[in-house]
Amino acid sequence: MPVALQVVRHASEHPRRIALRAPGGDLSYAGLARRTEAAAATLRSRGIGRGTLTALSLADPAELLVAVLAADLAGATPLVCDHTWERERRERIMAMVPAHVRVEAPLPSDPGPVPVDSGVSPQDRAWACFSSGSTGRPRAVVRTRASWTGSFPHLSALTGIGPGDIVLVPGPLTSSLYGFAAVHALATGATAVVPGRWPARPAAHLGDVTAVHVVPHRLPAVLDALRESGGARGRLRTAVVGGAALGAGVRDLAVRAGVDVVAYYGATELSFVAADTDGHGLRPFPEVEIQVRADPGRELGEVWARSPWLAEGYLTAGAGPLRIDGDGWATVGDVAEPYRAGEVLRLRGRGGGAIQTGGATVVPEDVEEVLRRAPGVDDVVVVGSPHPELGSVVTAILETDGPRRPSRATLEEVARGGLDAAQRPRRWYAVRSLPRTPAGKPARGLLAARLADGDPDIRRLT
């Protein structure tokens, strides 16, 4: 069933219940249903229907969710885009995505009947978004209705989130983690609190919130905000943490604050893979099978998953980490220790050099592609450097020397023009010559090791 129809059902049963708390004010389920139906009628009047890819770029989180639900009700596929992209970059990305229509302003409310497509199928494409690290080679991940909404009951069972809850979703809905959290809350009949970004004062949003979705490095800030607001007056019961890599002792702090933590591991392309509900380790999410495939003689292997929740793939021909074999198993290259069914999954990091930073996954090659455009840069290698709160930060090592060496200010300007915030390097270094493999490619692993060992030939740019 389309999520929009679930919203309509909640509106008929509990019309006055608040569906959304957004920067522009509260919106009841009755109001959300009316706006969704009217916006869907507008889309239908423009010829938007089943199989149509509708690119949505809206700053206001409530308007974005109305547009998502309207596309869903009209039978179209919503593609959630980042409204902060600069125009030139947006045009470059959209030229590579097969969108039939672009919505960049709130949809007008045309009167009309509810435009439900009687041919709605679980295999319809019902959601698309860009994975972390989309640059000039966008990776728009698309999933079917079944893979998108079929996991809702399992998430509700693991977290206890239901119609009576008030769920804080303190991040951009362009993120698959936060977008999924908001839509799940609406599907269950809960109230979704959607500030659209991490709030400057989290405590101001926690008064009657019962559940929150966060990335690992944000959970300590939530617990600090609870203490700031008096703790005992709060109702926060559950923190759902996407990424699974919680800092040492954070779960214990949450328990002392009376907050249960449900941490999970997954990816935009794989959706849920494993969950840790009690602090004893990651175990397969419901209906998920896991394998760790290691080459002979290797201690670690790649994590492969098979489940109903896998994405269909990418909308464009852009390269991405997702690989699917002939038996329906998929991987994004994450690595783990050997695994047997019934055991705990012990992740050891991202495969292929991908960098996990503050809940976002950054593909080094995408960052390198942009930085090579900077004047005076002959070549560049991007790696992750350890960080106590974010896990890792993006670090750029440039092959450049002499009077042509660009300033850090110039490099940061190039980064701002072509990279998302999570992709932009926080640390910059320069070398005269990058170490290379016999095939002539930069030796990423060797360079990362040299950087960690404090090689004096790798000079910090300030």
Side-chain angles (χ1 to χ4, degrees), residues 333 350-356 362-365 382-384 444:
R350 311 298 299 198
I355 302 164
Q356 188 77 8
V362 175
V363 177
E365 289 83 353
V382 170
V383 298
R444 191 185 310 277

Side-chain angles (χ1 to χ4, degrees), residues 65-295:
L65 285 168
V66 167
V68 165
L69 294 172
D72 186 42
L73 193 57
T77 305
L79 169 62
V80 181
C81 303
D82 190 342
H83 72 278
T84 66
W85 285 336
E86 295 180 355
R87 178 161 296 278
E88 180 181 351
R89 186 173 176 214
R90 179 185 297 125
E91 295 301 322
R92 184 173 70 248
I93 291 176
M94 295 312 300
M96 300 176 67
V97 176
H100 298 88
V101 66
R102 293 163 60 175
V103 177
E104 298 180 354
L107 287 166
S109 299
D110 291 345
V114 181
V116 180
D117 189 329
S118 60
V120 165
S121 164
Q123 298 311 312
D124 287 341
R125 290 178 165 183
W127 178 265
C129 68
F130 288 91
S131 64
S132 302
S134 299
T135 61
R137 300 177 296 168
R139 284 188 296 277
V141 180
V142 62
R143 61 180 61 253
T144 65
R145 179 166 285 109
S147 74
W148 174 241
T149 63
S151 63
F152 285 178
H154 293 309
L155 182 62
S156 296
L158 289 174
T159 62
I161 294 175
D165 282 298
I166 299 174
V167 183
L168 176 60
V169 184
L173 302 185
T174 51
S175 158
S176 61
L177 183 153
Y178 292 119
F180 183 94
V183 174
H184 169 261
L186 294 176
T188 62
T191 296
V193 183
V194 287
R197 56 181 297 180
W198 179 255
R201 289 193 64 251
H205 294 272
L206 289 173
D208 57 355
V209 162
T210 57
V212 62
H213 289 258
V214 287
V215 291
H217 78 280
R218 292 297 191 190
L219 182 55
V222 169
L223 299 176
D224 288 343
L226 276 181
R227 288 191 291 272
E228 176 187 331
S229 61
R233 294 194 299 273
R235 297 175 56 206
L236 185 63
R237 182 191 73 247
T238 302
V240 186
V241 183
L246 286 173
V250 175
R251 187 185 287 270
D252 292 337
L253 291 175
V255 170
R256 287 199 288 272
V259 179
D260 292 330
V261 175
V262 176
Y264 66 86
Y265 153 67
T268 302
E269 295 89 343
L270 306 180
S271 191
F272 297 105
V273 175
D276 181 354
T277 61
D278 55 12
H280 293 157
L282 291 167
R283 298 187 183 277
F285 190 83
E287 300 188 57
V288 175
E289 299 173 85
I290 294 174
Q291 292 181 349
V292 173
R293 302 179 183 177
D295 291 332

Side-chain angles (χ1 to χ4, degrees), residues 273-364:
V273 175
D276 181 354
T277 61
D278 55 12
H280 293 157
L282 291 167
R283 298 187 183 277
F285 190 83
E287 300 188 57
V288 175
E289 299 173 85
I290 294 174
Q291 292 181 349
V292 173
R293 302 179 183 177
D295 291 332
R298 298 277 183 170
E299 177 185 356
L300 305 178
E302 284 188 326
V303 180
W304 288 75
R306 184 166 64 181
S307 80
W309 325 130
L310 302 178
E312 187 175 287
Y314 300 115
L315 285 171
T316 66
L322 177 64
R323 286 174 284 139
I324 303 175
D325 71 11
D327 294 322
W329 292 85
T331 186
V332 290
D334 295 343
V335 293
E337 296 177 14
Y339 170 81
R340 284 195 295 245
E343 295 181 344
V344 168
L345 176 66
R346 295 178 174 85
L347 291 169
R348 291 286 296 274
R350 311 298 299 198
I355 302 164
Q356 188 77 8
T357 177
T361 302
V362 175
V363 177

Side-chain angles (χ1 to χ4, degrees), residues 353-425:
I355 302 164
Q356 188 77 8
T357 177
T361 302
V362 175
V363 177
E365 289 83 353
D366 290 347
V367 182
E368 292 162 358
E369 179 182 16
V370 171
L371 297 183
R372 287 191 184 100
R373 304 171 190 164
V377 174
D378 297 321
D379 207 348
V380 59
V381 165
V382 170
V383 298
S385 296
H387 189 277
E389 296 178 358
L390 301 178
S392 297
V393 291
V394 179
T395 301
I397 307 168
L398 312 171
E399 187 176 78
T400 179
D401 198 28
R404 294 179 58 250
R405 181 188 300 171
S407 67
R408 177 162 176 167
T410 297
L411 294 166
E412 290 177 339
E413 182 179 356
V414 171
R416 284 193 299 271
L419 298 170
D420 293 334
Q423 296 174 291
R424 298 169 195 160

